[in-house]
Amino acid sequence: MSLDIAHRRPGPLLPRAEGRGFGLFFAITLLAFLASLAAGGGLFGAYVARDWLQTPATRSATASVTVHASGLESADAAAARAAETLAGLAGVAAAEPFDGAPATADTANGTGSRSVTVRFKSGASAKTVGLAGALGARGLAAMVDDHGLLTSPVRRTVILALLGAAGVLVLVLVVSAIVVALVARGAAARGHALVGVLRSAGAVDGLIVRLFRNRFAATSAQAGLMGALLAIAACAVWRSMAHGAGGLNTDLSGAPVILWANLAGAAPWPIVMALIGAAMARGAARRVLQRAP
Amino acid sequence: MSRNTSAQYDPNADQAQDGETQEIGLRAPLPPLVRFEAVSAPDSGDGATLRSLSFALPAGSLYVLAGKPGAGKTRLLGLIQSAAPPARGRIELFGRDVAGFRPRDRALARGRIGLLAGEPRFLDHLSVFDNAALGPRISGRKPEDYRDEVAQLLAWVGLGKRMGDLPGDLTAGERRRLALGRAVANGPDILLVDEAADVDAATEERILRLLGELNRAGTTMLIATQDETLAPRLEQPAMRLQAGRLTSIDDASPDASWGGTP
């Protein structure tokens, strides 16, 4: 076969198919997809938890006290007395009638109720401070709603969810590293003849290692990008189904709104996968070269 | 090879320069390109153990390394080509002890040594042209700087019309000639030639003629063969290897260049 040598580029030193097998690409794509979802989910969970925990009604270091009027004392007066009493307790940072909640029903003497918001100092809670006891000692009819009791399970759930997401990410990293290392080691071992040819042509081992490293980094980056894009697409479909105009399923109307910003969780995975691919292929190629004569 | 820019490949184009080198050598002899001092190497899996070999290859010389199968000829060529220190003894390449080579030095030394292996391996996914151009390419030269030379080289070995083929499409003889082209593409100072088992006599004669041209151009050569008649036919000195030991070494003639006709 004749060859137009003036207008041709040299072929790749590594066979084109080496390090580009469907199995490796599929595995890295799947892992990047899972990692993107886990990272995005982690970000989303953290955002929701922070948003929820920081609303006044759900602050963990707060309590709501519903003070009932009694006798000749109005609800407002009882609430003011309760606030004064609670503010004097050790462990309470502030206690004041909740401005946003007007006294219920009848504010006349002896009827109705009014809320008092209590903020605790660090480490204190309604139970440790003894809100109910203090109020009872002052003859106030009150009901204490400790927000800490409500937020603790939420906190635990959020922490578990974040740990779960982190666990998935670590698992994905480890599995990715193992997959790439195994494939790269196989490729380098299969390339025994190639290594011999390149060495006898004057190639230093660093050049041979770079060939494998660059090939696997490129494949891993492409597969990582594919996985990240698939994850973004899946989230977009979810968002569209749950909250898009005329959402497909009303049962999903209560589903959390995925923020586009949370999709940033997918952004690093092409790079992370490329780095894993490069590091594992480099190590595998070096080990094979060390054993080669 | 890299110094040859003529339209047609001609190894003798370097002769004037090498002639100058030899003339300088008469006044102040250059160190041998290869020197073995009591070199021993254990069996590396091919059943050949080398025992206390001592010899030197002067620049521009050609030696025939004769010995029966299993005598250690291929092992000896591999030891030179690897530019790696032996288990025992001392090897000098280009005037330097290989034990002091850093990886980069070793790679550079390998780039100055061409090996025509008995069973050459190629990068089967690359064309004949790209395989022949491996040396210049790996040494960092740009394609536009070496492609004409490589094309001339392939024409010289008779593969000018097969440059776009894959090595797997070539006959055994053509692969042998491609291996020769690849071995000399970087203009090596030393060419090591191992005998081929499955090549016809006509191809081997053609290879020997090409090797003669290269030696006349100044390339130092060591040709391994089990043919005891080769050295007399080529009128070249021989080293004889038997069970890993050198049993005799002829003296190289002073001008030490190809004088025979294959």
Side-chain angles (χ1 to χ4, degrees):
Chain A
M1 184 187 296
S2 61
L3 192 70
D4 180 12
I5 60 167
H7 300 97
R8 68 180 300 280
R9 295 170 60 83
L13 292 176
L14 273 187
R16 290 186 193 281
E18 198 62 84
R20 288 179 176 147
F22 174 77
L24 175 67
F25 194 88
F26 178 77
I28 297 292
T29 299
L30 180 63
L31 290 165
F33 175 76
L34 293 175
S36 299
L37 288 186
L43 287 175
F44 179 65
Y47 170 80
V48 170
R50 191 181 65 231
D51 187 52
W52 192 82
L53 291 171
Q54 285 183 348
T55 56
T58 54
R59 280 182 187 144
S60 59
T62 60
S64 295
V65 178
T66 305
V67 183
H68 299 286
S70 63
L72 297 176
E73 192 174 35
S74 69
D76 285 342
R81 196 155 61 87
E84 183 184 351
T85 300
L86 297 176
L89 295 176
V92 172
E96 51 197 18
F98 187 33
D99 291 336
T104 57
D106 186 359
T107 56
N109 293 349
T111 58
S113 62
R114 174 103 196 206
S115 287
V116 173
T117 300
V118 180
R119 283 192 293 113
F120 298 106
K121 293 178 180 174
S122 178
S125 68
K127 190 175 181 181
T128 58
V129 169
L131 293 190
L135 293 168
R138 293 293 303 273
L140 288 163
M143 188 176 69
V144 176
D145 180 12
D146 185 355
H147 296 163
L149 296 176
L150 182 64
T151 55
S152 290
V154 175
R155 278 185 183 282
R156 277 198 298 274
T157 303
V158 168
I159 288 171
L160 281 176
L162 291 177
L163 285 177
V168 169
L169 294 183
V170 170
L171 192 64
V172 164
L173 291 176
V174 171
V175 172
S176 303
I178 291 172
V179 167
V180 176
L182 288 176
V183 176
R185 187 181 301 179
R190 274 196 309 279
H192 185 76
L194 177 138
V195 168
V197 170
L198 293 178
R199 274 182 165 173
S200 64
V204 292
D205 285 356
L207 173 90
I208 300 169
V209 168
R210 277 199 299 280
L211 290 176
F212 284 96
R213 185 197 66 189
N214 293 349
R215 174 63 58 83
F216 278 87
T219 301
S220 301
Q222 289 164 4
L225 180 63
M226 177 66 80
L229 291 175
L230 286 176
I232 289 172
C235 290
V237 169
W238 166 270
R239 188 183 156 99
S240 169
M241 288 177 66
H243 304 284
L248 297 178
N249 190 341
T250 52
D251 291 343
L252 293 174
S253 58
V257 180
I258 297 172
L259 302 177
W260 290 117
N262 296 141
L263 299 182
W269 292 102
I271 296 171
V272 170
M273 289 303 176
L275 291 175
I276 290 175
M280 293 297 107
R282 182 175 182 275
R286 281 210 174 279
R287 278 192 293 277
V288 169
L289 285 173
Q290 281 168 0
R291 285 199 296 271
Chain B
M1 216 59 49
S2 61
R3 289 169 293 196
N4 186 343
T5 55
S6 62
Q8 207 165 23
Y9 178 72
D10 176 10
N12 291 312
D14 288 347
Q15 203 160 25
Q17 188 169 343
D18 289 291
E20 290 165 13
T21 304
Q22 287 184 358
E23 192 175 307
I24 292 168
L26 291 174
R27 294 178 196 139
L30 294 170
L33 296 189
V34 179
R35 182 192 293 278
F36 273 44
E37 292 177 9
V39 170
S40 296
D43 181 2
S44 65
D46 54 1
T49 301
L50 300 178
R51 296 181 175 85
S52 195
L53 305 185
S54 295
F55 67 90
L57 296 181
S61 66
L62 184 152
Y63 267 91
V64 172
L65 177 64
K68 292 180 177 172
K73 302 185 297 294
T74 300
R75 180 96 173 90
L76 173 54
L77 297 185
L79 205 54
I80 297 173
Q81 202 268 339
S82 70
R88 292 173 60 185
R90 172 189 169 94
I91 298 176
E92 279 184 20
L93 292 176
F94 311 109
R96 286 185 58 192
D97 185 348
V98 298
F101 278 2
R102 293 171 299 173
R104 181 77 185 163
D105 300 326
R106 189 160 294 123
L108 286 173
R110 283 175 178 158
R112 294 176 64 185
I113 301 172
L115 173 65
L116 176 51
E119 295 176 10
R121 289 174 170 175
F122 301 99
L123 301 187
D124 291 330
H125 63 288
L126 291 183
S127 66
V128 164
F129 179 87
D130 281 342
N131 269 283
L134 268 183
R137 178 177 175 180
I138 285 174
S139 67
R141 295 174 63 194
K142 293 179 180 174
E144 53 268 32
D145 292 339
Y146 63 71
R147 58 191 174 202
D148 289 341
E149 291 173 19
V150 172
Q152 291 159 17
L153 184 58
L154 286 171
W156 178 65
V157 297
L159 294 175
K161 295 181 178 175
R162 307 296 304 269
M163 290 193 288
D165 290 337
L166 295 175
D169 298 331
L170 303 182
T171 64
E174 287 169 333
R175 287 169 67 86
R176 179 79 167 156
R177 283 184 274 138
L178 171 57
L180 174 61
R182 184 181 64 186
V184 302
N186 249 356
D189 297 302
I190 303 168
L191 183 60
L192 308 171
V193 182
D194 205 354
E195 63 189 342
D198 58 348
V199 172
D200 58 275
T203 297
E204 209 52 37
E205 290 299 301
R206 183 173 184 175
I207 292 288
L208 286 171
R209 183 171 52 77
L210 296 173
L211 293 177
E213 293 178 30
L214 288 168
N215 180 242
R216 279 193 293 274
T219 305
T220 304
M221 281 189 200
L222 184 59
I223 302 176
T225 180
Q226 52 183 308
D227 180 3
E228 287 286 347
T229 68
L230 183 62
R233 275 197 293 140
L234 300 181
E235 299 174 20
Q236 295 298 322
M239 297 191 285
R240 292 171 190 81
L241 198 60
Q242 190 172 356
R245 292 184 187 279
L246 280 174
T247 55
S248 69
I249 306 176
D250 297 338
D251 288 332
S253 56
D255 56 354
S257 65
W258 185 283
T261 48

